[in-house]
Amino acid sequence: MRSDAMKKGLERAPHRSLFKALGFVDEEMDRPLIGVVNSFNEIVPGHEHLRDIAEAVKAGVRLAGGTPVEFPTIAVCDGLAMGHAGMKYSLASRELVADTIEVMAQAHPFDGLVLIPNCDKVVPGMLMAAARLDLPAVIVSGGPMMAGRHQGRDVSVTNIFEAVGAVKAGRMTNEEIASLEENACPGCGSCAGMFTANSMNCLTEVLGMALPGNGTIPAVAAARRRLAKKAGIRAVQLVKEDLRPSRILNDNAFINGLTVDMALGCSTNTVLHLPAIAHEAGIKIDLDLINTISEKTPNLCRLSPAGNHHIQDLHEAGGIPAVMAELTRLNLINLNSKTVNGLTVGENLAGVRVLDYNVIRSVENPYSKTGGLAILRGNLAPDGAVVKRSAVAPEMLTHSGPARVFNSEEEAVSAIMGGQIKDGDVVVIRYEGPKGSPGMREMLTPTSTLAGMGLDKTVALITDGRFSGASRGASIGHVSPEAAEGGLIAVLKDGDVIHIDINNYRLDAAITEEEAKKRLADWQPPEPRVTRGYLVRYARQVTSASTGAILKR
């Protein structure tokens, strides 16, 4: 066993003594040591209950004859970090999650790992670590939050963000938003829609690194604890079978992941995270592959914010296995890929069917014949930009309008709140990319405010930053190259006409090549916004959003 390096032989007597200081007995040291990576903290609603999940995991490890050893990593709540400087740290935390797990698992050579994430950057961070370390590993998330109930309808955090704009526009009273505030988030779990956390937890299941049910079993369900026990049991078996991520995370697994991504209409952040995870596994995902897959993959689900269903509804309809089973009817899923439970995808899907075609549409009756995400290119984004096509109103799939240019999220929000944005405008928020922000902040506050004010069907928003999975509307992010690296977005001016053609994957500014060269020749990069701490190092090392915002080697 790998852990023998710190517990076997005469020269390891001091090490065994340290284990005994922890209360270990010889019998525990003779078993496989399974690291249980817990991202619990008391500031993230999605992680508040992870002590319970970890205890269930550890019970499973012991049942299978292993010895669990729990250690922590960090987690940022994107909702709480939203709209202020704290959001600069959200994407940047992904690398820290991966690095801290690497440090702990290499300094203390565990035989296998169970990784317990729940929210946005923690899931991909843990998957990156699993791919990098290539130790037998299984992911088990804390599960999704239940939808809240307000005035007879299901609601989630996206509704309360949009309510702010509704109050500003006089479409909702202060008393109504106060009532919604009490009910939108009813308890623990990752926020209830197909936002980034749930997108990544669902795709972890598709990639084969989590047991079936990981993406959709509610956080409050006893089935979530049972799943955690099974993950603990499975971790010990993985060690004995020597089944490692490198045998699971192959090209076909990522193609399956992107395919289900399109069918579900996941968060645009998956376009950052899947390439970053693939990079750790030694696989390159080109952005154009996303459009190729999207062209042949029907969009089968419209979950919040794109529709009225939530993750609990998806679970009741059969969950991720049902979505995959439906896609097999078009031969879109590779059935031979190995999964963490030791079975192939095909074996996992045997006998699975959709239980509610109102939530998961059939391939004959999709919401659209193409997938939920699209990569746009053009003179404004030669290296690509991304839009959640399934959450765009049909009338905004093609749009041309004058740019309203802002150099920060705060400037844009002030203008939106101040009623300065009019029908037809294209709001441009720049210097919010991986380097420029630094940290590539999410723009949920401006997008949700526009939606709450009823402008999501008449106003587009483009940015070199990114969006929360809770954003909807013609919200185009990840514009690359970003402004801080001299992309054309850096020299846009108020009134420049922006042409958006999502159906044809185009994003262009009506600026001649000569004019663009002239403007860029006169452009000077701004002074860094952050001059000390982790973000300075991050800004120096981070690459473009088009590469998954990975760090330079």
Side-chain angles (χ1 to χ4, degrees):
M1 291 187 292
R2 184 172 182 266
S3 60
D4 287 350
M6 62 178 172
K7 65 185 187 184
K8 291 290 186 181
L10 173 63
E11 67 277 14
R12 296 297 180 253
H15 302 65
R16 291 192 295 273
S17 181
L18 290 168
F19 273 111
K20 289 178 178 180
L22 294 167
F24 279 66
V25 296
D26 290 338
E27 289 81 356
E28 288 176 295
M29 285 187 278
D30 287 339
R31 297 175 176 180
L33 290 186
I34 306 297
V36 178
V37 190
N38 190 356
S39 54
F40 161 81
N41 62 47
E42 294 183 339
I43 192 66
V44 183
H47 292 232
E48 185 267 339
H49 63 303
L50 293 190
R51 281 175 172 164
D52 291 344
I53 301 298
E55 288 303 317
V57 166
K58 290 190 284 186
V61 170
R62 294 187 184 102
L63 282 169
T67 298
V69 184
E70 184 179 345
F71 64 88
T73 190
I74 62 169
V76 170
C77 177
D78 278 27
L80 293 175
M82 197 73 65
H84 58 87
M87 180 48 71
K88 295 177 184 291
Y89 288 87
S90 173
L91 180 60
S93 74
R94 183 186 72 182
E95 319 309 314
L96 291 176
V97 169
D99 290 351
T100 55
I101 295 168
E102 177 191 355
V103 167
M104 289 296 288
Q106 296 288 42
H108 318 97
F110 295 107
D111 298 301
L113 297 171
V114 180
L115 303 136
I116 310 174
N118 214 23
C119 290
D120 296 40
K121 306 311 156 304
V122 188
V123 187
M126 288 190 172
L127 282 165
M128 290 165 68
R132 184 187 303 173
L133 292 163
D134 201 28
L135 297 175
V138 58
I139 312 281
V140 58
S141 79
M145 186 185 292
M146 299 294 286
R149 292 287 292 173
H150 180 69
Q151 297 181 349
R153 66 189 181 107
D154 287 345
V155 293
S156 68
V157 69
T158 190
N159 299 97
I160 190 69
F161 268 98
E162 292 183 7
V164 174
V167 171
K168 272 287 183 184
R171 304 169 71 204
M172 179 181 283
T173 66
N174 286 319
E175 291 75 21
E176 287 172 327
I177 195 174
S179 175
L180 179 59
E181 181 182 319
E182 293 287 335
N183 296 300
C185 300
C188 66
S190 48
C191 296
M194 189 52 79
F195 313 142
T196 305
N198 291 324
S199 295
M200 290 308 304
N201 282 321
C202 289
L203 295 184
T204 301
E205 190 177 328
V206 179
L207 290 173
M209 286 298 295
L211 299 175
N214 179 73
T216 59
I217 296 174
V220 294
R224 176 59 56 177
R225 277 72 182 164
R226 296 197 297 271
L227 186 74
K229 285 183 182 177
K230 290 178 181 178
I233 292 169
R234 188 63 195 143
V236 179
Q237 296 169 343
L238 288 172
V239 172
K240 294 176 180 177
E241 296 167 13
D242 196 30
L243 179 54
R244 299 168 182 264
S246 57
R247 292 177 55 197
I248 297 171
L249 294 174
N250 55 27
D251 292 88
N252 287 330
F254 285 101
I255 290 173
N256 281 349
L258 288 168
T259 300
V260 176
D261 192 344
M262 298 304 127
L264 290 173
C266 289
S267 165
T268 52
N269 282 313
T270 60
V271 177
L272 287 173
H273 300 321
L274 287 176
I277 297 161
H279 175 75
E280 295 288 353
I283 296 168
K284 180 176 173 56
I285 293 179
D286 187 275
L287 290 186
D288 291 330
L289 176 63
I290 293 170
N291 284 345
T292 300
I293 291 173
S294 182
E295 281 293 325
K296 60 184 179 182
T297 305
N299 180 217
L300 304 181
C301 299
R302 289 280 168 94
L303 303 167
S304 177
N308 295 322
H309 296 128
H310 294 82
I311 302 298
Q312 66 204 56
D313 303 309
L314 178 60
H315 182 64
E316 291 173 9
I320 300 306
V323 175
M324 296 179 74
E326 188 66 21
L327 292 170
T328 62
R329 298 180 56 214
L330 296 178
N331 297 315
L332 293 175
I333 297 295
N334 185 290
L335 300 177
N336 295 319
S337 293
K338 197 81 168 174
T339 70
V340 79
N341 65 1
L343 303 177
T344 64
V345 170
E347 289 169 332
N348 283 331
L349 297 183
V352 172
R353 61 184 180 86
V354 175
L355 303 178
D356 187 345
Y357 279 108
N358 291 313
V359 179
I360 305 170
R361 288 197 175 183
S362 70
V363 293
E364 293 87 7
N365 182 38
Y367 283 100
S368 68
K369 293 182 179 180
T370 53
L373 300 182
I375 302 299
L376 312 184
R377 294 188 188 268
N379 69 348
L380 196 48
D383 293 341
V386 64
V387 63
K388 189 170 184 174
R389 174 166 46 189
S390 59
V392 179
E395 55 266 45
M396 290 298 289
L397 290 171
T398 303
H399 178 80
S400 294
R404 295 297 311 281
V405 182
F406 304 95
N407 288 333
S408 70
E409 178 189 9
E410 287 83 359
E411 289 180 17
V413 171
S414 178
I416 295 167
M417 293 281 200
Q420 299 173 32
I421 303 303
K422 308 301 181 186
D423 288 346
D425 285 348
V426 178
V427 176
V428 177
I429 307 177
R430 63 190 178 195
Y431 296 111
E432 292 289 6
K435 288 183 181 295
S437 185
M440 205 178 182
R441 289 196 288 178
E442 288 183 340
M443 302 291 132
L444 179 57
T445 298
T447 59
S448 59
T449 303
L450 287 169
M453 296 174 78
L455 295 173
D456 57 299
K457 294 182 180 180
T458 59
V459 171
L461 190 153
I462 68 172
T463 180
D464 53 7
R466 60 196 179 91
F467 297 109
S468 165
S471 291
R472 62 185 176 96
S475 304
I476 300 168
H478 306 196
V479 170
S480 301
E482 64 173 289
E485 291 203 308
L488 184 60
I489 190 173
V491 293
L492 288 180
K493 297 178 180 179
D494 280 351
D496 285 339
V497 175
I498 307 297
H499 298 298
I500 298 167
D501 187 350
I502 294 172
N503 289 328
N504 289 304
Y505 308 109
R506 297 293 304 181
L507 179 63
D508 294 282
I511 301 172
T512 65
E513 187 174 347
E514 292 74 19
E515 174 65 14
K517 287 179 178 178
K518 181 177 180 297
R519 292 188 192 182
L520 286 168
D522 295 333
W523 172 80
Q524 292 293 326
E527 290 294 317
R529 288 172 168 170
V530 177
T531 58
R532 59 188 299 176
Y534 170 58
L535 287 179
V536 175
R537 186 166 74 252
Y538 180 83
R540 200 160 50 232
Q541 293 181 289
V542 72
T543 60
S544 168
S546 62
T547 63
I550 59 174
L551 299 187
K552 295 173 185 174
R553 287 284 174 92

